[in-house]
Amino acid sequence: MASPSRVRQELAQEAARIMLDDGIRDFGLAKRKAAEHLGVDARHEMPGNLEIQDAAIERSRLFASPASRAAYRGRLEAALVVMERLRHLEPRLVGPLLQGLVESQPLINLHAFAETVEEVILELGERGVHCESGERRYRSRQGREQRIPFLAFRGPDGTDIELTVFPLDGMRQAPPSPVDGRPMVRATRADVERMLEEASADEAPVTAD
């Protein structure tokens, strides 16, 4: 009989596979499906969200095809282009692309900072960029719910961009991560440039001396 720690590891790996293969972003749903697939009692101690995320990153890199690695690098390039064009909004990369998920939904998540979302909509419109708006709900460390607007539009080469527009003072405190509740990690353009260099190096063919 497998030890509890081994079962927990298998559940994390299966939940990670489900999230990657089925495009599920809900950790709780992925855990329940993993327990069902493995025939594990739902009362068993489940892996934490961070364990599943780490397993997903490892799996996505291990099984990534050359085409998916190229697509990942292309998303990083597209993110850099948008971040450069909107550099006065101090954009930051967040989400699966930043986490290093090679196999993931082709959505680029960015945070930006402005006095109003209307001024960003106006600027995008002047650039000929049509966007749709919505709201994201975040819970602060104090437990208060915040509703932050986001803009969805097409970026370079038809990439899907989701730009969440925080108030100017929102740069000081990142919202809690849905994974572990800690402040969400945000990457600057310089960070993304380093990620792109690493991704390009991973794609480079190995030549014999």
Side-chain angles (χ1 to χ4, degrees), residues 2 10 19 22 29 48 103 127 149 158 163 192 202:
E10 291 176 351
M19 295 187 80
D22 299 345
L29 176 58
E103 299 277 6
R127 293 172 179 262
L163 183 73
V192 179
D202 288 342

Side-chain angles (χ1 to χ4, degrees), residues 1 30 60 67 72 74 79 85 106 141 162 179 181-182 185 199 206 209:
M1 183 175 180
S60 75
Y72 170 76
R85 291 174 180 172
R141 286 186 174 181
E162 187 175 287
V179 178
R182 296 179 179 179
V185 177
V206 178
D209 293 333

Side-chain angles (χ1 to χ4, degrees), residues 93-164:
L93 179 67
V94 298
L97 185 59
L98 173 59
Q99 293 159 4
L101 283 169
V102 178
E103 299 277 6
S104 68
Q105 296 177 343
L107 179 65
I108 298 172
N109 302 96
L110 297 172
H111 286 181
F113 310 90
E115 291 187 359
T116 66
V117 68
E118 288 77 16
E119 68 184 71
V120 182
I121 294 173
L122 180 61
E123 177 180 347
L124 290 173
E126 290 174 346
R127 293 172 179 262
V129 177
H130 170 73
C131 61
E132 298 180 358
S133 61
E135 281 188 339
R136 285 274 172 265
R137 295 184 180 185
Y138 296 103
R139 192 165 295 279
S140 69
R141 286 186 174 181
Q142 293 74 31
R144 294 192 300 270
E145 184 179 86
Q146 296 175 298
R147 296 190 176 189
I148 307 296
F150 74 85
L151 304 175
F153 57 92
R154 288 295 179 90
D157 299 325
T159 51
D160 291 321
I161 308 293
E162 187 175 287
L163 183 73
T164 305

Side-chain angles (χ1 to χ4, degrees), residues 43-59:
R43 292 172 295 181
H44 189 281
E45 183 181 0
M46 293 293 170
N49 295 348
L50 194 57
E51 292 175 75
I52 297 172
Q53 177 178 278
D54 289 344
I57 293 172
E58 181 181 4
R59 181 181 181 86

Side-chain angles (χ1 to χ4, degrees), residues 69-83 93 97-98 100 108 159 191-200:
R69 291 184 185 277
Y72 170 76
R73 178 172 52 80
R75 290 195 295 274
L76 287 174
E77 292 173 341
L80 272 177
V81 170
V82 175
M83 294 174 80
L93 179 67
L97 185 59
L98 173 59
I108 298 172
T159 51
D191 296 327
V192 179
E193 286 172 352
R194 285 192 290 271
M195 291 175 64
L196 182 56
E197 289 176 359
E198 293 172 0
S200 299

